[in-house]
Amino acid sequence: MKSNRRQKVFYMALCVLAAIVVWIFVDNYGTNGGPVTHTKWFRDVPITYTGETVLTDRGLMLLEENTVATVDLEMEGTMWDLALLDKDYIKVTADLSNVSRTGVQTVTSVIYSYTEDYFRQRISVNDRNPSTITINVAELYHKTVDVRCEITGNVAEGYSAGELQVSPTEIEVRGDQADVDAVSYAKVTLDLGEDATSTVTGELPIQFYDANDQLLENTSLQTTEETIQVTLPVYVTRELQLTMNFVESAGARMNNVDWEIVPNTIQVSGPAEVLNSMDSIVLDDFNLAELGSTTNYSYAIPIPEGCENLSGVTRATLRISFKDMQRTTVTATNFILENAPEDRTVDLLTEQLAVSIFGTSGDVAAITSDNILVTVDLADFGSAVGTYTVPAEVTVVGHDVGVSGGTYQVRVTISEQTPDQPAEPDTPAEETPDTGDETT
């Protein structure tokens, strides 16, 4: 029984398949070897209008009222192809480039096409309703209105909003005169959400309002912009310490100065990615070795890029002085010649050099001439001969004391070495000639 039932199902499926094959064959070759055609209506096919920018350039506009938006099409083709065709595959395009006057009129350039290449040579338009495509064209009016932005939501505690940036700030509105005249301004809405902690930006859709702040709906207005770019910077607020980059050296150490900066902090608002990694602002470099009798220094406060100084203070004053500073002069007598030419004789003419030193009174009092070392580098005088003034480097050995007084110099004489004279050969004592006489 089960075997007979399977056979019946198989034969039925085979018959259906054979019927489909016969139907397709007859549909395509049943009329003297040609296809059998049928017709089918497709309702409400949308019409795409092109060339509206040409209308705008001519001061015209397409009105929705009395303009045909869709068309019913009777399509002709084989039953198989019509079954495959979908309304979304059909394109109806009306070109407005030749329109040059106002009023209700007929479009002369209408193109019927398909989104799929398969149907182009297989299906044609047999009829349409309405039989002609009519449009309504009016004179284009325009005016410029301001763009306003409404902000909704809030920024998080500890953050602040920067200046709202709207681009563009005004737009041109085009359309029917009654619609254009009713517009007082354009508005977009920027939603910050809840507790915003970063900059909010968006391309926002435009709405139009009248002079009574009522939203204008169902208008056919055109604009020069489809959206408005709006950005609201959201900043974190931080208190930053004002400080200096102090440069220390021998005799000029931070532990020997009293200093303060007034004001010592400022309130700064800016992007979190900038300020969250900062706790101070460096006003400038300050070399302690150059600190003299002047104790007050004024500096402009540099604000990080993209940030705002909420305190409003633009300059800060550094008040600084040494706690204990002694300056004196010591006579240096220790000289070292470096890189002296091997084939030259160098005579140091300077035997003593007055050196200015500074430091704490205790360190300066401990300095003697033995602690001062003067180094003279002759590397640039390898082939020189004569007397020269040569720069010298002065260092203090054994104590934290600095050297002041600018550049130090010494005098040297460089001469060619004289080769040693060869020793005179020894002359032997004269011998008495032998005469043959002997004294006895």
Side-chain angles (χ1 to χ4, degrees), residues 44-52 62 67-73 75 87-99 106-115 120 125 128 131-135:
D44 298 324
V45 178
I47 301 173
T48 301
Y49 288 97
T50 62
E52 288 195 70
L62 182 67
T67 293
V68 176
T70 63
V71 63
D72 298 335
L73 297 177
M75 311 303 288
K87 184 178 73 173
D88 293 338
Y89 297 160
I90 305 173
K91 292 174 58 180
V92 180
T93 305
D95 186 11
L96 304 178
S97 299
N98 295 325
V99 177
T106 301
V107 179
T108 58
S109 177
V110 182
I111 300 175
Y112 302 91
S113 59
Y114 306 94
T115 60
R120 292 184 179 179
V125 178
R128 66 188 181 190
S131 58
T132 59
I133 306 300
T134 59
I135 59 174

Side-chain angles (χ1 to χ4, degrees), residues 200-336:
V200 181
T201 186
E203 292 279 349
L204 305 180
I206 305 169
Q207 293 180 311
F208 299 101
Y209 287 78
D210 63 17
N212 297 318
D213 299 322
Q214 297 299 309
L215 176 64
L216 297 174
E217 298 181 298
N218 301 322
T219 65
S220 58
L221 293 171
Q222 302 175 16
T223 62
T224 52
E225 305 288 340
E226 294 184 359
T227 59
I228 301 297
Q229 172 76 37
V230 178
T231 300
L232 182 69
V234 176
Y235 296 147
V236 64
T237 300
R238 297 201 63 182
E239 184 176 25
L240 299 182
Q241 189 82 27
L242 300 182
T243 186
M244 300 292 298
N245 180 29
F246 292 106
V247 180
E248 295 183 292
S249 60
R253 303 295 181 184
M254 284 299 299
N255 57 14
N256 190 33
V257 294
D258 289 321
W259 66 278
E260 67 171 341
I261 296 176
V262 180
N264 62 346
T265 63
I266 61 170
Q267 291 282 339
V268 177
S269 177
E273 60 270 21
V274 175
L275 293 182
N276 282 346
S277 61
M278 294 183 62
D279 56 13
S280 62
I281 293 177
V282 177
L283 298 177
D284 205 348
D285 294 339
F286 192 96
N287 189 349
L288 294 178
E290 298 176 358
L291 176 59
S293 58
T294 302
T295 57
N296 289 344
Y297 300 84
S298 180
Y299 297 94
I301 301 175
I303 304 301
E305 185 176 357
C307 296
E308 180 183 1
N309 183 352
L310 300 182
S311 298
V313 181
T314 60
R315 300 191 70 85
T317 300
L318 169 66
R319 297 171 181 169
I320 185 170
S321 61
F322 283 113
K323 301 175 185 178
D324 175 19
M325 178 56 63
Q326 181 71 38
R327 299 180 184 273
T328 189
T329 301
V330 178
T331 300
T333 58
N334 295 330
F335 296 88
I336 296 178

Side-chain angles (χ1 to χ4, degrees), residues 417-425:
Q417 290 181 352
T418 302
D420 294 337
Q421 294 293 333
E424 290 287 332

Side-chain angles (χ1 to χ4, degrees), residues 5 10 14 20 24 26 50 55 63 71 81 87 94 96 145 178 192 195 202-203 210 278-279 303 305-306 408 439:
R5 188 177 295 118
F10 172 76
L14 189 62
I20 293 175
I24 295 175
V26 172
T50 62
L55 283 184
L63 299 178
V71 63
D81 290 335
K87 184 178 73 173
L96 304 178
V145 296
L192 304 182
D195 296 335
E203 292 279 349
D210 63 17
M278 294 183 62
D279 56 13
I303 304 301
E305 185 176 357
Y408 289 90
T439 300

